[in-house]
Amino acid sequence: MTMSCNQRCLSLVLVMISLFAAGCWDAKDVDQRSFVMGVAFDLSDTDEKIMMTIEIPILTSFASQSQSPQDAKSLLASTTGTSVAQMAARFETRTWRELFFGHTQCIIVSEDLARESILPIIDFFDRNPRIDRRLTLFISQGKADEVFHTQDPVESLVSIQLNQMLNTLTNTTRVVKRNFQDNLRDLESNGDTILPRVRSTETEVVIAGGALVKDYKFIAWLGENEARAVAFLYNSISGGVITVNVEDILYTFAVRSASTDIKPVLKDGQLSYKIKVRAEGDIVETFYRGPGGAVKFDIPKIQDRLNQVITDEILHLLTKLQEFKADPIGFDRLVYRHYPKFWKEHQENWKDQVWPKASFDVAANFNVRRTGILEEVTIYQSQG
Amino acid sequence: MKLAKRIHHNIQFFQQQFNNSTDLVVRQFTINIPGIREIAGALIFFDGLISNQLITDSILDPILHEASQFQQPIDADILTFLKESVLTNAEHSETNDADKVTLAVMMGEVALLIDGYNTALTIAVQGWAHRSIQSSQSEGVIRGPRDSFVEAINPNLMLIRRRLRDPSLVFERIQIGNRGQNDVVIAYIKDIANEDLVLEVRKRLKKVDLDVILDSGYIEQLIEDDWWSPFNTIQDTERPDEVVAGLTEGRVAILVDNSPFALLAPTTFNTQMMSPEDYYVRWPAANFVRLIRFIASFVSFVTPSLYIALISFHPEMIPTQLALSVAASREGLPFPSFIEALIMELSLELLREAGIRLPGPIGQTIGIVGGLIVGEAAVNAGIVSPIMVIVVAMTAIAGFIVPTYTLSFGLRMSRFFLMIATSFFGLYGLTLGLLIILGHLATLTSFGVSYLSPWAPLNLKDLRDSVIRFPWHSLKQRPRYTLADDPTRQSQDTPKRGQNKQKRGKQ
């Protein structure tokens, strides 16, 4: 296949025309974009329902040359509207730079807005292909935009701080660790999920606990103590400490690895779930407050106690979820996978009828691997 | 054109032939052999092409003194007598073809004319000044031989012959250039090089039709397979060890008089990514360097385009903290990233080209210092971002790692093509551009050998000497791409690990 010179030239011209006619349409340099690092949504007093607040970094303070940490690092801007896209467009009257959500770290929805529904808010972000889905969707206790007003002298931007905090959690399970992608998966499956909670004071911002969402509506808080059971059920334990009391000695157990296996069992039309928790870890501390004398670790007892504590916590959470008729963990998907026929019959009334009646068989198996370099504890105490 | 019998006709002929050029010397003399007669003779040569010492010692002195002291009258013809018994130099030939004599004189030989004979003796007494052998400028190594070719062809052949004492090593000398009549030597090892390859080289060289061959680059461009391509399909080198290595792999070398660069064919992309040093250092080190070289070549190839793509099209792909500082550093810059990259990349090429022209050691210094100052000043003046300076520095440093100067030209030019493609379509354009270049490379051949061999078409055996180099013990076969006649280069078994270790101490 050889082309004559004319054909060559013609094809070259065609290629050039198509390039120049179509090219560059989505080119926009970084400095022409406003990086929206965080977005907060609140109920607004006006007719237009929603108030959107965005946190935009002041770029000059991020340049390597600037050595003035006192300068404000970010700029907050708010507008009201009825939909997210509409509000995002309205910011064009305040900045010539295009709002860019590709690096958005967190989206915060205030609890009163979330009670109405979070669906219209997440839809905009769900559709945007540039969103980094590892961002976090928070429900705030109190007003959402106030979170951005906290000033941590060490951190640069509240949004980055929040996302970093949640993603680097390893030693505590007091907050529900779910990112936007996880939440979307839950929500697309049955409209229920658990979102991390954020609350703020003037000086600090705290993430702790979670918010139970049912049918895209926020319905109840989950406390810090319930967050651990959530983590076990989501099989997303990456660490954390559990303190148990065995014969008046407090043992603190640090989880090194844990996994949860959930299996539905259908027997005589009665649905139950077998939940197996397996965990391994070390004793990192013993806190002694009884009478003196040498105490040897009774590992099996400690393990039993740990099993008991976690089983109770999980059962407590499951009961609570059943009371709310909410299924954020995705127990329905398990049934759909294992018993598709049963699922087809009860698909319609799953949340109202079937789920609340399910029973659970929780078995925890904790394994204490190491106790540190001390094998026993001896406390010397004068007998007077 | 035949020579005449009378010497003055011949002298007149040659004076006309060379248009009485001032450097033409006609040295007339008389041979006086007692008892015979006096015979007129003449030497014709160009001043400066011959060695005066040699002419005196091996031609004039014997003829004028020793021949006249020869007592016996001889009836054999005087020319044969001179040839066989008088002249003391090593190399001469007899001809009656005036054109041959003309050519020989132009090549620095001396024509000896004797009255009464329509033949002439051409005697090789060449001697002219040439550069002495120095170390390679463009292909330096730390470990390995330092010598490199010079402009004169005979020392170059010597450098090859000295490394390869093989009777099968053949030098075929032909003259190319309608006016230049320049020596071109085809070198190959007869029982290794593929016969068709040698025939093809010969055939293509015969077709070369130019006035004068000033450098092997002329030959390269006239005989290469695809002269449209920005990539060269014939390798040039100034290292004799590289040539010898090529010859033993079954390649053919072409050396051109007055050019310190020999050509090697066939050539693939792979062969040009190797430095001779890769074979001299131990294989783990060689592999380390080769991996770095391949990666760095790719880095220098795509970094500017990647910068454009990420900055202008896909800022979400930059890590957040970096994105912020990049955006901050680009704050207030007047040009879009493509123009910015173009400015900096062009000024890099500018500095590089200027560095070649600048005299000697200042060149490099000014190049580097100029680069730094220009880069720094450009950043301070707010024309380019500091990140761009890093990108350019990466391109430059990584670009110099390509061991073949000629190949790096192709890569440098394609880099701009990639930048343009990226400026239209972002990463998508970059991918398209890379595919177009890859497709183009895949269509190239060098004397029938695929340019991307051994990767496309895949040749597993040859992969042993591509991105990684296997230890010498496992490189028992010559590369396959040359279709060498004798594929084996080591027939001994590989020693087992540790076998070469000698046990010492107690017996």
Side-chain angles (χ1 to χ4, degrees), chain A residues 142-263:
Chain A
K143 296 209 79 175
D145 65 332
E146 277 171 9
V147 174
F148 291 145
H149 288 290
T150 55
Q151 291 221 321
D152 190 316
V154 183
E155 303 295 334
S156 48
L157 293 173
V158 180
S159 314
I160 295 180
Q161 181 196 356
L162 279 175
N163 200 30
Q164 286 284 330
M165 264 204 289
L166 197 83
N167 281 321
T168 53
L169 283 182
T170 45
N171 292 323
T172 183
T173 42
R174 288 171 69 80
V175 58
V176 175
K177 189 177 172 180
R178 306 283 285 164
N179 66 26
F180 193 47
Q181 178 69 46
D182 302 331
N183 297 137
L184 283 178
R185 208 181 297 130
D186 292 347
L187 290 170
E188 274 158 25
S189 136
N190 62 9
D192 297 357
T193 191
I194 301 176
L195 300 174
R197 169 171 69 174
V198 61
R199 59 167 185 260
S200 60
T201 63
E202 265 178 37
T203 50
E204 63 169 5
V205 48
V206 180
I207 51 171
L212 180 60
V213 169
K214 187 196 172 191
D215 297 329
Y216 299 100
K217 292 184 182 74
F218 162 63
I219 51 170
W221 293 117
L222 299 179
E224 276 106 322
N225 293 325
E226 288 161 326
R228 182 152 69 202
V230 173
F232 272 108
L233 285 177
Y234 272 127
N235 200 3
S236 63
I237 287 273
S238 60
V241 292
I242 306 168
T243 306
V244 289
N245 185 339
V246 180
E247 288 164 0
D248 272 348
I249 301 179
L250 292 179
Y251 293 96
T252 301
F253 175 81
V255 181
R256 298 293 174 221
S257 73
S259 69
T260 311
D261 187 36
I262 308 176
K263 242 192 192 150

Side-chain angles (χ1 to χ4, degrees), chain A residues 24 28-29 31 97 103 130, chain B residues 312-313 315 318 331 337 424:
Chain A
C24 307
K28 194 153 228 176
D29 283 353
D31 47 309
R97 297 168 208 247
H103 282 290
R130 296 195 137 167
Chain B
S312 293
F313 290 86
I318 318 172
E331 192 73 2
S337 63
F424 283 121

Side-chain angles (χ1 to χ4, degrees), chain A residues 48-180:
Chain A
E48 290 181 310
K49 292 212 69 174
I50 310 176
M51 180 172 83
M52 176 179 176
T53 307
I54 54 175
E55 186 184 38
I56 295 170
I58 296 171
L59 286 177
T60 45
S61 65
F62 284 87
S64 53
Q65 287 97 337
S66 86
Q67 295 292 341
S68 48
Q70 301 92 337
D71 291 355
K73 295 266 186 177
S74 67
L75 185 86
L76 297 177
S78 301
T79 187
T80 55
T82 43
S83 83
V84 180
Q86 180 203 44
M87 287 183 282
R90 284 187 182 176
F91 280 109
E92 261 183 49
T93 58
R94 311 195 184 174
T95 169
W96 60 275
R97 297 168 208 247
E98 184 184 290
L99 290 197
F100 179 66
F101 293 96
H103 282 290
T104 303
Q105 303 285 306
C106 64
I107 302 167
I108 307 170
V109 183
S110 75
E111 58 179 308
D112 43 0
L113 180 59
R115 268 183 215 285
E116 293 189 5
S117 176
I118 57 168
L119 183 61
I121 288 159
I122 61 171
D123 186 81
F124 173 78
F125 298 99
D126 196 2
R127 277 173 206 283
N128 193 332
R130 296 195 137 167
I131 290 289
D132 178 358
R133 291 179 173 235
R134 288 166 305 176
L135 69 85
T136 322
L137 179 61
F138 289 100
I139 303 279
S140 76
Q141 207 167 9
K143 296 209 79 175
D145 65 332
E146 277 171 9
V147 174
F148 291 145
H149 288 290
T150 55
Q151 291 221 321
D152 190 316
V154 183
E155 303 295 334
S156 48
L157 293 173
V158 180
S159 314
I160 295 180
Q161 181 196 356
L162 279 175
N163 200 30
Q164 286 284 330
M165 264 204 289
L166 197 83
N167 281 321
T168 53
L169 283 182
T170 45
N171 292 323
T172 183
T173 42
R174 288 171 69 80
V175 58
V176 175
K177 189 177 172 180
R178 306 283 285 164
N179 66 26
F180 193 47

Side-chain angles (χ1 to χ4, degrees), chain A residues 8 18-20 22-31 33 35 37 57 59-60 62-65 97 100 102-103 105 129-130 132 156-157 160 164, chain B residues 228 308 310-321 323-333 335-338 379-380 386 420 423-425:
Chain A
R8 264 173 202 263
S18 60
L19 278 180
F20 283 108
C24 307
W25 61 274
D26 60 346
K28 194 153 228 176
D29 283 353
V30 275
D31 47 309
R33 302 178 195 259
F35 289 76
M37 302 309 290
L59 286 177
T60 45
F62 284 87
S64 53
Q65 287 97 337
R97 297 168 208 247
F100 179 66
H103 282 290
Q105 303 285 306
R130 296 195 137 167
D132 178 358
S156 48
L157 293 173
I160 295 180
Q164 286 284 330
Chain B
W228 269 98
I308 297 171
L310 292 185
I311 294 296
S312 293
F313 290 86
H314 320 282
E316 69 273 14
M317 291 186 68
I318 318 172
T320 302
Q321 293 288 353
L324 288 180
S325 62
V326 168
S329 70
R330 278 193 56 83
E331 192 73 2
L333 291 191
F335 301 116
S337 63
F338 171 64
V379 170
N380 286 339
I420 293 169
S423 75
F424 283 121
F425 295 117

Side-chain angles (χ1 to χ4, degrees), chain B residues 231-233 267-273 294 407 411 434-446 448-459 462-463 466-467 481:
Chain B
F231 292 92
N232 60 312
T233 52
T267 292
T268 66
F269 188 85
N270 187 31
T271 59
Q272 296 188 80
M273 289 298 285
F294 272 90
L407 176 67
L411 292 176
L434 280 174
L435 280 178
I436 289 173
I437 292 171
L438 197 65
H440 171 68
L441 287 177
T443 63
L444 290 181
T445 55
S446 170
V449 175
S450 300
Y451 198 57
L452 287 186
S453 162
W455 305 299
L458 187 66
N459 185 337
D462 278 10
L463 283 183
S466 53
V467 182
Y481 72 95

